[in-house]
Every structure is written in C-alpha cells, then in structure tokens.
Amino acid sequence: MDAGQILLKHGLLTNADLSRAADARTNGARVDQVAVELGIVGEAEALRALGAETGVDFIDLEAANVDLSLLQPFPPKLIHRHGLFPIERRKGVVVVATSDPLNLYPLDEAAAALNCPVIPVLATREAIAKRIKTHLGVGSETVEGLLAQREEEELELVDGLQIDEGEIAAEVQEASVVHLVNEILLEAIDSRASDVHIESQPSGIKVRYRIDGILQQQPTPPEINRFQAAIISRLKIMARLNIAEKRLPQDGRIKLKVHGREVDVRLSVIPMLHGEGIVMRLLDKGRMQFSLERLGMSGKLREKFDRLIRLPHGIVLVTGPTGSGKTTTLYSALLDIKSEDTKIITTEDPVEYQLEGINQIQVHPKIGLTFAASLRSILRHDPDIVLVGEIRDHETAENAIQASLTGHLVFSTLHTNDAPSAYTRLVDMGIEPFLVASTIEGVMAQRLVRVLCEKCRTPYKPRRDDLPSDFPWDEFIEQGGMLYQNAGCRNCRETGFTGRQGIFELCETTDAVRQLAHDRTSSWEIRKAALADGMRTLRQDAWLKVLEGRTTVEEVLRVTKGDLA
C-alpha cells in the first residue's frame, strides 16, 4: 500500500484530495508529501498514520532528551540532506528521528557509518530543523554546503584544468553565503530579537541575539569561522557600504520583507582588534503595535499621563537610556491623541516606524538638517503638536521651549536616569530656570522589565529575609503572600519570559516642583517634592508588577536601583 492509500485508509484524505495531490506532484514527490505541502493534511497526523502502518513510533522531539555525543560520529550529510537526527543509544542500538519512514536508504547509511543497528522514530521536519539549529547552530546546513563547494573548488584549482567550473563554483559559494546571512537574520526575526551582534573574536566569529533585552549567544558550527570575511562583506553590500573600507566605522540601513512584514535593519560596523564587529538593530514594523493599553501603565498613572498628553501647550519629556522604550511610549501617545483636527509633525533620527496620519521628518546632520534646524521649519507649518526625537543640545532645547511658549504641545526625549533630573539637565544645557519651570509640564522616566510566561510561571512563598529591604512586604501579605518566578517552556524558548513591559516614574510639574526648578534647586530636592506630591518611583512601580505576578524580584533588581531614604 502506498503512502496516499495509507492516508486514505486512516481517513486523513478523501478520494478528491488524493486526486488533487496526485495532480500537483512534481519531481517525483510522493502524494503524502504533496498533501502536507498543500495543507490538506497536517504533517504530524500524516506521520502518525504512516507510522501505524510501518510500525514506527511518532515522538515529540522537542521534549526528547538528546544524547549530544552521538552528533560527533554521525555523518553531517545525513542530518542536513536527509533530515535524520540521532537521539539516544539503547543497548547498542541508536535511535534516529526521521520525517520519512518510507525512505530506508539514509537509515542504512547511518547504520553503516555508526557500525551499529539503527531504529527509526518519526518527528516533523520542523521539530528536526529546530534540533539541528539548537545543537549544530544557525546556518549549519549552509556551512556544510559551503565546505563541500570549497573542497570541490580546491580540487579543481590543484588540477588547474577546469578553471571555468572553478568560477562557477565560486558563484555558487557566493549564493550560499547569501543564504547563510539570510538564515542568521531570519532566525533573529523569528526569535523576536531586537539586535544581532556579529563579533570578531580571537577564536573566530560569535553570533549573539538580544531577546527581551538580554544577549543570548547562538550556537554556530566552528566551520563558520572560515566564512567570517564573506559574511561581513555580504552584510556591507546589503547596507550599501564600502566593503573595501575596513579601518573606519560605517553605518547603513537594510530593508527586508520577511513573512510578508517589513523589517528595517540599522547596521553599524566598527573595526575591532580581531576584525570588524557588526551590530544590527531590527525594527519589525509588522509586529510592532503602538498602544498605551499595552505599555503596562497602572490605572492612576495612565490617567495622569492621559491628562498631560492632552494639554494645549507645554513640553512633555520621556527619559531613559537607549532601548528603554521611549520611542514606543511617544508613538503610542501620538496615535492616541491624533485626530483630523490636529496637525502632528515629528523630527526624528532615524524615523524608526512610519505612522499613518502623522508627518515625519528624517534629520540629516551632514547637510545641516539637525533637530534644531528642522524644528524651526516645523513651526512655519502650522502644527498643533510637535515631536522632537531627542533634545541633545542647547539650540534644540531652546527651540523646543520657544515652540511651547508659542502655543504648541511638544514631546521629546532626554537621557537622564530619573524624571526629576530632567529639570536640572535642561538648566545645565543653558536654558534659563524660569523657562524650564514655566514650560515643562511633566517628565516620564521609564525602563523595561521582562514579563513572565503565563504558561510556565511557578508560584512560591518567599521569606522576609529573602527579599530586598524596600520590598512592600505589608502589601504583599495583604494580597495573599504569593509571588511568581520563571521556569521555562517551549512557548518562551525555555527562558520563562515572553516580551517586556514598561515600569514608569511620572513627575508632574506641581507648584512645589515648579518653584524648585525656578530656584535652580538640585534634582534631589525636586525628587523629594515630587514624592511628597504622590510620585511613584521606578522601583515602586516595578514592585507593583511583581505583586501582580507579571515579573520577578530578580528582574526588578536587574533593571532598577533601590530608592534612597
């Protein structure tokens, strides 16, 4: 009985499905494989049916314990070309996962190579591919192909007879490098990485992804080191950079389309001691959603922020280090207040995401289009609301102040560690204290904490001595005395976290804060006045997230510092 008849027997295909799959066959593909490709039947269901007929068990490969020592003697071509993956050794017999129980030749070849019997088990192609990436590294299949091509090319060069074929082999190798770079980028995008780091080390190339704010090294085959220069050159070509320049830093941009979504890549190349290092910031436009509801603000804080962003004029600042979500907060605020009767213009460096209904300007400092210069021009375009990407210098700060004084609502970002420091930072830039006091309506400081995975977080009851001294123990006891910690599952890639949320510190410019800013008082005095007026610090807001079961104590300690008494 052939594969199609087996699926028919098990009720997974109808006669019409069978005919449709048979008609769509190309290059000798089997009917069951075509049916899976067409989406008529799921691969797991088809494999279970084929396994029932052939006496081969179907397993959950992601949950299986793999004996990694079997990978060393196992022929790479059987893994990459035939989709076999060794799992364990049982009493002198090696168990091997395959997604094709009807193709016995690769299994016979594996038995001959290992010099022992082989027992097949069934797993989906996706599950086997995940195991290959996890244990052999991103791009391992491409590297294996590259090495094979290089060996062929070297043999031809030694003969010195088939130069043309050697040139063709070089072209194929170039195409494979393209595939290898694409695979690194695709894996990063699928992993929700915000940055890709390709680092040149004495031992070779290292690939790391920043996922939910934490750098995670990606396993790569050691052979990838031989293609380090080709990978870096390929990325430079994609970003339209000078591949011959290896002594100076370069910045570029790559536009990709992945799974129907637009992904913008900002690439930075810096010469290091052992070669060039590359960092790519991935801006996944299709996956990004700008909404104040999703930022993680508590009810009272959200009400205060809503009131600030709807003022007729003044300046609202968002502060925090790079990568703390400032742009996301400002974009979400703009989309929340946008309407047909307001004109919103932004000036940014760079424009990270394009927003419908909002006029955005990309600054170009090299040609004189700075934040300050563009802001002067913006005011001649009759805006109601203005967003300045960042206040970096006195001129930009002065223009933002003037814009607010002439009846505009201005949003911007500033690099300070907390909200009260923003007032003194502007004074340090040379802005008169009375102007700072009269125009700044509020400052939001923020950070990002990782959110616990709902599917695997585990409750526990801590002791008082196990928690930091500023932990709100009384509130904790009132709500039941239970916290959560990360565990790890398939859903969260074994990290225990899925995504991030903001923690916030909103300093409203009350009369007390305004007077202190006017009097050139220190940020510490402004902070005390803001706390007396009801400001909740970053640390206090983070503890609320812990009490709500959204993050962990360890995550709060990683992101924030304790509040001084």
Side-chain angles (χ1 to χ4, degrees), residues 10 31 107 153 181 213 217 264 290 316 339 360 378 389 400-401 447 469 474 494:
H10 283 259
V31 171
L107 294 167
E153 186 181 356
V181 169
Q217 184 166 349
D264 210 6
F290 297 108
V316 177
S339 66
Q360 295 170 277
I378 284 171
I401 294 280
R447 301 288 189 280
S469 58
D474 293 337
E494 304 301 331

Side-chain angles (χ1 to χ4, degrees), residues 467-488:
L467 298 170
S469 58
D470 62 336
F471 183 83
W473 181 260
D474 293 337
E475 291 179 48
F476 167 64
I477 295 300
E478 283 177 18
Q479 71 163 33
M482 190 72 71
L483 297 182
Y484 290 88
Q485 58 190 1
N486 57 311

Side-chain angles (χ1 to χ4, degrees), residues 168-432:
I168 293 169
E171 288 178 12
V172 174
Q173 175 177 320
E174 188 177 326
S176 294
V177 170
V178 170
H179 182 67
L180 174 56
V181 169
N182 289 349
E183 195 168 338
I184 290 171
L185 288 170
L186 275 170
E187 179 70 9
I189 291 163
D190 289 340
S191 302
R192 298 181 298 104
S194 61
D195 302 84
V196 178
H197 294 239
I198 299 177
E199 300 164 337
S200 299
Q201 303 290 332
S203 55
I205 198 169
K206 181 194 284 187
V207 179
R208 295 197 286 173
Y209 297 158
R210 188 177 293 281
I211 302 172
D212 291 336
I214 304 295
L215 274 174
Q216 299 179 15
Q217 184 166 349
Q218 298 304 301
T220 53
E223 293 84 3
I224 201 173
N225 296 329
R226 293 171 60 178
F227 308 102
Q228 177 176 341
I231 290 168
I232 291 171
S233 294
R234 170 61 187 166
L235 286 166
K236 282 180 165 184
I237 289 169
M238 291 172 74
R240 293 182 171 84
L241 300 180
N242 182 1
I243 62 172
E245 180 56 76
K246 300 179 186 296
R247 302 163 301 166
L248 295 172
Q250 297 187 72
D251 294 317
R253 202 163 185 170
I254 304 169
K255 288 187 177 181
L256 304 174
K257 198 158 192 176
V258 180
H259 309 311
R261 304 193 311 268
E262 283 190 19
V263 178
D264 210 6
V265 181
R266 283 155 44 191
L267 181 141
S268 173
V269 188
I270 297 181
M272 303 287 186
L273 190 61
H274 301 286
E276 291 174 290
I278 288 182
V279 174
M280 291 175 281
R281 168 65 58 87
L282 306 179
L283 302 171
D284 192 342
K285 298 180 180 181
R287 183 173 279 168
M288 199 67 197
Q289 293 180 322
F290 297 108
S291 164
L292 289 176
E293 301 291 338
R294 302 169 62 89
L295 295 181
M297 292 185 195
S298 63
K300 288 183 179 178
L301 184 76
R302 172 69 193 280
E303 288 174 13
K304 291 179 180 179
F305 190 64
D306 270 343
R307 188 166 62 250
L308 278 178
I309 64 177
R310 285 173 168 79
L311 291 172
H313 54 78
I315 298 177
V316 177
L317 296 174
V318 179
T319 77
T322 303
S324 60
K326 301 187 297 296
T327 301
T328 302
T329 297
L330 287 174
Y331 278 1
S332 300
L334 290 182
L335 290 175
D336 197 56
I337 61 178
K338 147 186 118 162
S339 66
E340 289 299 322
D341 55 2
T342 58
K343 176 148 186 172
I344 303 175
I345 307 180
T346 75
T347 175
E348 305 169 62
D349 183 22
V351 174
E352 295 187 356
Y353 298 96
Q354 296 173 27
L355 304 177
E356 183 68 31
I358 292 174
N359 305 281
Q360 295 170 277
I361 298 171
Q362 168 75 57
V363 303
H364 290 287
K366 289 181 180 177
I367 61 171
L369 186 59
T370 60
F371 281 127
S374 59
L375 185 50
R376 283 196 300 271
S377 299
I378 284 171
L379 295 181
R380 292 194 287 271
H381 263 246
D382 188 30
D384 299 292
I385 299 165
V386 176
L387 168 71
V388 182
E390 184 184 342
I391 294 179
R392 296 176 179 169
D393 51 40
H394 171 78
E395 189 181 6
T396 308
E398 194 172 51
N399 287 347
I401 294 280
Q402 290 302 320
S404 69
L405 289 173
T406 53
H408 303 90
L409 181 60
V410 180
F411 294 102
S412 191
T413 69
L414 202 62
H415 285 290
T416 62
N417 287 326
D418 59 11
S421 299
Y423 300 90
T424 53
R425 176 81 183 97
L426 288 171
V427 173
D428 289 342
M429 282 184 178
I431 303 300
E432 289 293 337

